[in-house]
Amino acid sequence: MLHIYNLVTACFQLVNQWACASVSRFPSSREYFVLSVLFGAALLVAMQFLGDAVVRLMGVPLPGPLLGMVFMLPVLMLLRRVPEGLSIICRYLLGHMPLLFVPLIAGVMTQFGVLGLEWIPFLLSCIVGTAITIVVTALVFRWMMQRTSGKKS
């Protein structure tokens, strides 16, 4: 696993060097914006690909994109910031989040037979999952508010 991490880190350093060299050749702000957004999109796709590859090769019982985001965490921690292009592309994707749920809803609709037989566990898991999400979100929000108010004082 450490070898994969080192490989990914080396790839990101190469891409970052290339992007910096490209930006110095193209000094306009529009070209910088396009390159940074392309870098952010490439970073997301690369992490998803890496997560899918690890899931397929090692048989990890997690979705590939989720594992890819877990791999992205140490990369962002090493950078100590979120790259501008990644921030832009993520804000855009989050703004269009409802469209990303269409395939999920269509998939659930094809499973009405199974849901009809197992509706109680499905309903309970939805309720418990939503409650856990709300509680964790509230705790993280409160922690972040305390953390940012401590910096301003």
Side-chain angles (χ1 to χ4, degrees):
M1 195 68 160
L2 185 61
H3 298 300
I4 293 173
Y5 174 76
N6 289 337
L7 177 67
V8 170
T9 305
C11 288
F12 282 124
Q13 288 173 347
L14 286 173
V15 170
N16 193 21
Q17 289 172 356
W18 174 82
C20 290
S22 298
V23 168
S24 66
R25 283 183 273 156
F26 303 111
S28 78
S29 62
R30 178 178 167 87
E31 288 163 339
Y32 173 77
F33 175 79
V34 169
L35 277 175
S36 66
V37 169
L38 284 175
F39 177 73
L43 183 62
L44 281 176
V45 170
M47 286 298 167
Q48 180 173 352
F49 176 75
L50 179 65
D52 281 335
V54 169
V55 164
R56 289 179 190 264
L57 292 174
M58 297 184 165
V60 179
L62 291 172
L66 176 66
L67 196 57
M69 292 302 103
V70 169
F71 290 150
M72 186 179 286
L73 179 63
V75 171
L76 294 176
M77 289 173 71
L78 283 173
L79 291 174
R80 297 183 151 241
R81 64 180 178 81
V82 177
E84 182 183 356
L86 182 63
S87 176
I88 291 167
I89 197 79
C90 288
R91 269 189 263 125
Y92 179 79
L93 288 173
L94 286 173
H96 294 84
M97 184 71 93
L99 293 175
L100 301 175
F101 287 109
V102 171
L104 174 72
I105 294 167
V108 169
M109 291 179 69
T110 64
Q111 301 297 319
F112 275 138
V114 175
L115 288 177
L117 297 173
E118 302 290 334
W119 68 272
I120 294 176
F122 178 75
L123 186 64
L124 285 175
S125 66
C126 288
I127 292 169
V128 170
T130 302
I132 289 171
T133 301
I134 290 171
V135 168
V136 169
T137 302
L139 291 173
V140 169
F141 181 75
R142 190 170 81 186
W143 175 71
M144 288 300 291
M145 291 298 291
Q146 290 172 348
R147 185 174 170 201
T148 55
S149 67
K151 286 183 180 180
K152 291 179 183 177
S153 300

